[in-house]
Amino acid sequence: METQNYSSTSGFILLGVSSNPQLQKPLFAVFLTMYLVTLVGNALIILAIHSDSRLHTPMYFFLSSLSFMDICFTTVIVPKMLVNLLSDTKSISYIGCLVQMYFFMAFANTDSYLLASMAIDRLIAICNPFHYDVVMSPQRCLLMLLGSCTISHLHSLLRVVLMSHLSFCASHVIKHFFCDTQPVLKLSCSDTSSNQIVVMTETLAVIVTPFLCILFSYLRIIITVLKVPSAAGKWKAFSTCGSHLSVVVLFYGSVIYVYFRPLSMYSVVKDRVATVMYTIVTPMLNPFIYSLRNKDMKRGLRKLRDRIHS
């Protein structure tokens, strides 16, 4: 069979969230609104934390980093998706696809490690409060952030390098709204077994390991809090973890559904919905989740508002 590598010549076609022409403009309005809410909400979180000295703690350092990653995370995907919703071609170049895939995985993986870092922060604060300032020093927090970014980018680089060696000789239509690993692998006529092994192995490293770290941290927290004699003390301890747990459930629930299945079980419609949840919905909801029930964040946002108005 003659093999032609479409990927290096014409690039790919992204079908988007829906191929129904009547839904393109309504979807554009919906996702543009969600994107703007994500940008504004996460930017306000970052500004509020940096403008209030009382929020200069490890927990809010990681939260501001998470907000920044969420802005980058959605910006890699949503602008191109919005353009394609109003375009007839819906194309993306081969290089553009690999670049999008690289940064998407890098920021998504960093999000995963940051959520684990935030769980460790809560673990130390609740289970070992007397050594909190020493264990969670500014230098160590910065090292955790840099380590998360470095590992994530190395994982992404390996995945994209392997992807760049594949040939795409049949359809070059990606049944997704961005260049994600699974739908692109479905188009390849090369042997993708090594890629799938790397995908599963790296998923264990960048998803399962942080997730298990979070589970272990909260198991220790629950055991410690249950030993607190007063109900008020238990509530105070658990209340500092509620927002983080909500984000963990949203993020990891959809990520595990999408990536912890073999390529043969990939479902276009179901995976699109699940992917929208962790790529667009979760980053949009994070500012609300972390600020609505957090007195410190509410105070920081009010201080930021007063500074802007003055």
Side-chain angles (χ1 to χ4, degrees), residues 14-33 77-91 177:
L14 293 167
L15 285 188
V17 180
S18 172
S19 56
N20 188 339
Q22 296 180 342
L23 292 178
Q24 302 303 297
K25 289 184 179 180
L27 285 173
F28 175 85
V30 169
F31 286 114
L32 176 61
T33 302
I77 298 170
V78 179
K80 181 60 179 175
M81 181 180 69
L82 293 175
V83 170
N84 285 349
L85 282 170
L86 299 181
S87 172
D88 294 329
T89 59
K90 304 183 187 302
S91 63
F177 56 90

Side-chain angles (χ1 to χ4, degrees), residues 188-214:
S188 177
C189 57
S190 304
D191 180 12
T192 62
S193 57
S194 59
N195 294 75
Q196 293 185 52
I197 291 172
V198 169
V199 168
M200 294 304 294
T201 304
E202 299 226 325
T203 300
L204 290 173
V206 301
I207 301 297
V208 176
T209 302
F211 185 62
L212 290 178
C213 178
I214 293 170

Side-chain angles (χ1 to χ4, degrees), residues 60-73:
Y60 293 108
F61 169 76
F62 289 124
L63 177 55
S64 64
S65 301
L66 182 69
S67 293
F68 178 74
M69 291 300 163
D70 281 344
I71 290 174
C72 298
F73 187 39

Side-chain angles (χ1 to χ4, degrees), residues 222-238:
I222 290 170
I223 293 172
T224 301
V225 171
L226 289 178
K227 295 178 182 177
V228 177
S230 67
K234 292 178 182 178
W235 171 251
K236 183 178 180 181
F238 279 130

Side-chain angles (χ1 to χ4, degrees), residues 32-288:
L32 176 61
T33 302
M34 294 173 71
Y35 180 55
L36 292 176
V37 170
T38 301
L39 293 182
V40 173
N42 283 286
L44 287 174
I45 292 291
I46 295 170
L47 291 173
I49 290 172
H50 285 272
S51 64
D52 189 345
S53 59
R54 286 174 292 187
L55 298 179
H56 293 175
T57 64
M59 181 174 72
Y60 293 108
F61 169 76
F62 289 124
L63 177 55
S64 64
S65 301
L66 182 69
S67 293
F68 178 74
M69 291 300 163
D70 281 344
I71 290 174
C72 298
F73 187 39
T74 53
T75 300
V76 169
I77 298 170
V78 179
K80 181 60 179 175
M81 181 180 69
L82 293 175
V83 170
N84 285 349
L85 282 170
L86 299 181
S87 172
D88 294 329
T89 59
K90 304 183 187 302
S91 63
I92 185 170
S93 67
Y94 175 60
I95 297 299
C97 186
L98 291 181
V99 169
Q100 186 184 60
M101 187 182 296
Y102 173 86
F103 283 106
F104 162 74
M105 289 187 292
F107 293 131
N109 294 344
T110 305
D111 258 14
S112 179
Y113 284 120
L114 284 175
L115 288 172
S117 299
M118 294 170 78
I120 293 171
D121 172 77
R122 292 299 83 207
L123 171 67
I124 303 301
I126 294 173
C127 301
N128 199 5
F130 297 109
H131 296 91
Y132 179 76
D133 291 337
V134 175
V135 176
M136 300 303 293
S137 63
Q139 294 82 4
R140 187 161 295 170
C141 291
L142 181 60
L143 187 63
M144 291 170 71
L145 173 62
L146 293 176
S148 299
C149 294
T150 302
I151 294 172
S152 299
H153 280 274
L154 289 175
H155 281 300
S156 300
L157 182 61
L158 174 60
R159 189 90 64 89
V160 169
V161 167
L162 287 174
M163 191 73 70
S164 66
H165 288 86
L166 298 179
S167 295
F168 301 91
C169 49
S171 170
H172 59 296
V173 176
I174 299 175
K175 297 178 180 179
H176 215 325
F177 56 90
F178 72 101
C179 290
D180 199 5
T181 305
Q182 299 288 49
V184 174
L185 283 177
K186 291 278 283 187
L187 299 181
S188 177
C189 57
S190 304
D191 180 12
T192 62
S193 57
S194 59
N195 294 75
Q196 293 185 52
I197 291 172
V198 169
V199 168
M200 294 304 294
T201 304
E202 299 226 325
T203 300
L204 290 173
V206 301
I207 301 297
V208 176
T209 302
F211 185 62
L212 290 178
C213 178
I214 293 170
L215 289 180
F216 172 77
S217 297
Y218 276 105
L219 180 62
R220 287 284 309 277
I221 288 171
I222 290 170
I223 293 172
T224 301
V225 171
L226 289 178
K227 295 178 182 177
V228 177
S230 67
K234 292 178 182 178
W235 171 251
K236 183 178 180 181
F238 279 130
S239 64
T240 63
C241 305
S243 300
H244 181 254
L245 273 175
S246 301
V247 174
V248 166
V249 171
L250 281 172
F251 181 82
Y252 282 103
S254 51
V255 166
I256 289 172
Y257 175 81
V258 172
Y259 295 106
F260 274 75
R261 290 174 302 155
L263 194 59
S264 58
M265 294 180 63
Y266 175 76
S267 170
V268 175
V269 176
K270 291 181 180 179
D271 282 47
R272 280 180 190 168
V273 174
T275 306
V276 166
M277 281 299 299
Y278 81 88
T279 58
I280 301 174
V281 176
T282 302
M284 180 189 70
L285 293 179
N286 280 356
F288 299 100

